[in-house]
Amino acid sequence: MIRGDKLSKVYGTTTAVSSTDIHVRDAAITVIMGGSGSGKTTLLRLLAGLEKPTAGHIWYGDEDLCTMTDNRLYELRESMGMLFQYSALLNSLNVYDNVAFPLHEHTDLDEEVIRTMVSMKLEQVGLRGFEHLMPSELSGGMAKRVAFARAMAMDPKIVFFDEPTSGLDPISAGVISTLIRETSTKNRMTSIVVTHDVGAGLSMGDNVILLWQGRIIAEGTPDEIRHSDDERVQQFLEGRPDGPIPFSRSTTSYVDDLTHKPGTVRLES
């Protein structure tokens, strides 16, 4: 469904994504994993059309996202859903109005029909009856589930999930992971999930991609990733502090910087 060819994204002197090829299968869950600063959220934003790449192309079928008109992009986005890392609920709207927001914005449906659809989506995430609550009155797990319901409001063909289990307790994280898996399967939906949660990523994904310094270092089924002989992959899966993936990304001596010797520090994103 989605193909990225030689994608790069550069911010100033920092390369977040570097000449990366990615293929997202139709009606499957593609999980993108990697440590903080590995470029996974940047890659997600590129695939979702929220940012344009510095180089390369993104194909939706035979359409190039990079040369698409704004009108066509807005039209395409009506078939997409997005769950943001911090839920991104509108603080001035209650749960009902947050979930109904895309339906009000993009359809001419009667309010009674919208009410029924919102009720169905909230039932799906176990929050029917909480329509009157404001975002400030929700727990982190509840906010994620409301954001999930909003992302699904238009019955999208493609949904992007940015760290859907981040900051959640194990039970809430399990609920979100199960919702993504079950909804994707039942609706034959294409899902792209960015996460650093190894357990959640391997349990959800049909195809798993591991990023390091903006490049893909491993790709395959969850079992293929688990049994990879790449030391970088095993270090990430096991959470080992020592290995080929260093904690520090600095390229100059810390002592030299403290003593004001010439040199620069470049941080990889």
Side-chain angles (χ1 to χ4, degrees), residues 15 28 31 45 57 68 75 94 97 106 114 139 150 152 155 161 166 208 221 224 243 249:
T15 300
V31 172
R45 292 177 62 83
H57 297 273
M68 195 175 288
E75 185 179 89
N94 63 19
D97 288 327
H106 299 295
I114 290 177
S139 68
R150 183 181 61 185
M152 298 302 301
D155 292 323
F161 299 91
S166 177
V208 179
T221 66
E224 288 171 339
R249 303 291 179 84

Side-chain angles (χ1 to χ4, degrees), residues 149-190:
R150 183 181 61 185
M152 298 302 301
M154 297 278 289
D155 292 323
K157 295 178 181 178
I158 310 163
V159 183
F160 299 90
F161 299 91
D162 189 7
E163 299 285 7
T165 62
S166 177
L168 300 182
D169 65 84
I171 294 175
S172 296
V175 168
I176 293 295
S177 298
T178 301
L179 280 170
I180 293 172
R181 163 54 69 185
E182 291 183 349
T183 305
S184 299
T185 301
K186 289 177 182 176
N187 296 353
R188 291 193 53 79
M189 185 175 76
T190 302

Side-chain angles (χ1 to χ4, degrees), residues 1-7 20-26 28-32 43 47 57-59 61 190-192 206-209 216 219-220:
M1 174 169 277
I2 306 171
R3 187 178 84 251
D5 292 338
K6 304 299 181 190
L7 289 179
T20 296
D21 293 332
I22 181 170
H23 295 256
V24 176
R25 296 207 319 263
D26 189 19
I29 301 174
T30 298
V31 172
I32 302 172
L43 181 57
L47 295 175
H57 297 273
I58 302 163
W59 299 93
T190 302
S191 298
I192 304 172
D206 296 306
N207 188 53
V208 179
I209 293 168
I216 294 175
E219 181 173 2

Side-chain angles (χ1 to χ4, degrees), residues 3-72:
R3 187 178 84 251
D5 292 338
K6 304 299 181 190
L7 289 179
S8 294
K9 184 64 179 179
V10 179
Y11 300 100
T13 59
T14 300
T15 300
V17 175
S18 179
S19 194
T20 296
D21 293 332
I22 181 170
H23 295 256
V24 176
R25 296 207 319 263
D26 189 19
I29 301 174
T30 298
V31 172
I32 302 172
M33 295 199 297
S36 297
S38 60
K40 55 189 186 296
T41 294
T42 300
L43 181 57
L44 184 80
R45 292 177 62 83
L46 292 175
L47 295 175
L50 298 176
E51 294 192 38
K52 289 200 173 183
T54 305
H57 297 273
I58 302 163
W59 299 93
Y60 276 68
D62 58 357
E63 295 185 271
D64 187 353
L65 197 70
C66 302
T67 59
M68 195 175 288
T69 65
D70 287 343
N71 286 341
R72 175 57 185 143

Side-chain angles (χ1 to χ4, degrees), residues 100-174:
F101 185 80
L103 296 168
H104 285 140
E105 287 292 308
H106 299 295
T107 74
D108 296 318
L109 293 173
D110 183 80
E111 188 62 36
E112 195 57 39
V113 175
I114 290 177
R115 189 171 300 280
T116 300
M117 293 177 70
V118 170
S119 182
M120 289 171 60
K121 300 305 178 185
L122 289 175
E123 174 67 18
Q124 185 179 16
V125 299
L127 289 176
R128 187 169 53 83
F130 291 83
E131 289 88 345
H132 62 286
L133 292 182
M134 301 299 289
S136 61
E137 299 172 312
L138 302 174
S139 68
M142 291 171 73
K144 287 271 189 178
R145 283 190 276 165
V146 172
F148 184 96
R150 183 181 61 185
M152 298 302 301
M154 297 278 289
D155 292 323
K157 295 178 181 178
I158 310 163
V159 183
F160 299 90
F161 299 91
D162 189 7
E163 299 285 7
T165 62
S166 177
L168 300 182
D169 65 84
I171 294 175
S172 296

